[in-house]
Amino acid sequence: QVQVAESGGGLVQPGGSLRLSCAASGRLFRIYAMGWYRQAPGNQRELVARISSGGNTYYGDSVNGRFTISRDNAKNMVYLQMDSLTPEDTAIYYCKQEPTSTSPGSWGQGTQVTVSS
């Protein structure tokens, strides 16, 4: 299990871009799939993107083609590049170490992203 911490949130205008970062502790980071989730007020937390230990990626329908997840195992980092942002992307974004058969996984504290003019 690793501990994760997000950064990079903020206020951005519609159509703009933002890059979120997730710093992970622990020497086993490279073996875990990692995910970005988000939760808007009144909504359930939803999966935004996931990247496997081998670099395979998955995106939610609402962000596919606009967001890009990546990881740097040498730096224990996961990134979420968000382009063409809309007000509907406003939410708290969470980084997550996905659970495995031997690890329960872990969540970060979240970082607020607000898309508004």
Side-chain angles (χ1 to χ4, degrees):
Q1 183 176 349
V2 298
Q3 303 301 315
V4 296
E6 308 90 342
S7 62
L11 174 64
V12 61
Q13 292 187 341
S17 298
L18 207 59
R19 189 176 85 152
L20 304 183
S21 298
C22 173
S25 65
R27 61 184 180 87
L28 297 180
F29 166 77
R30 68 186 185 284
I31 72 172
Y32 295 121
M34 301 294 295
W36 283 100
Y37 293 72
R38 68 185 181 185
Q39 188 167 18
N43 291 354
Q44 291 187 337
R45 194 171 296 189
E46 63 173 351
L47 173 65
V48 174
R50 181 184 288 129
I51 187 166
S52 72
S53 58
N56 294 318
T57 58
Y58 167 85
Y59 297 95
D61 289 341
S62 61
V63 307
N64 197 18
R66 299 188 298 121
F67 290 11
T68 304
I69 189 171
S70 61
R71 67 190 297 163
D72 185 337
N73 288 339
K75 297 181 178 179
N76 277 23
M77 295 291 294
V78 182
Y79 305 100
L80 185 68
Q81 177 66 40
M82 305 185 293
D83 299 318
S84 302
L85 286 161
T86 73
E88 287 70 36
D89 296 314
T90 296
I92 299 174
Y93 284 72
Y94 297 90
C95 180
K96 180 185 181 184
Q97 179 234 303
E98 299 290 359
T100 69
S101 59
T102 58
S103 172
S106 62
W107 290 93
Q109 293 297 309
T111 185
Q112 176 71 47
V113 172
T114 302
V115 185
S116 175
S117 55

